[in-house]
Amino acid sequence: VRGPARLFIDGSLAKTTPLSERFKLQIRAEINNLFNYPNLSNPNVVFGNSDFGLIRTREGGGRTMQIYFKLVF
């Protein structure tokens, strides 16, 4: 029995802005599971079970986003 395909697409953006000659500010955003695709688990393979061939759970979480600020000197 084959399970469904898994799709993980992550992305990030970064921008560095000089504040002075010595200091720079870096702003970075990271996104996991960019398109919020549901990654389903494998189907139940216990023959004779009433759930045979059904998928009842999913793997991984939903979309998560993080924003970082970093002072470089």
Side-chain angles (χ1 to χ4, degrees):
V1 178
R2 284 190 185 196
R6 288 173 176 76
L7 178 66
F8 295 100
I9 297 178
D10 301 333
S12 70
L13 296 171
K15 168 118 174 111
T16 303
T17 304
L19 298 175
S20 68
E21 186 175 310
R22 184 175 171 197
F23 295 102
K24 297 174 188 167
L25 179 66
Q26 183 181 45
I27 302 169
R28 187 172 70 198
E30 294 180 353
I31 302 173
N32 296 322
N33 198 2
L34 183 66
F35 299 116
N36 207 18
Y37 183 80
N39 291 302
L40 302 174
S41 297
N42 288 326
N44 187 347
V45 293
V46 179
F47 189 71
N49 192 336
S50 63
D51 287 343
F52 179 76
L54 296 179
I55 299 173
R56 298 282 185 189
T57 59
R58 30 176 241 171
E59 294 179 352
R63 179 184 308 139
T64 58
M65 294 183 233
Q66 298 176 342
I67 297 175
Y68 299 96
F69 295 94
K70 180 178 176 183
L71 182 63
V72 181
F73 54 95

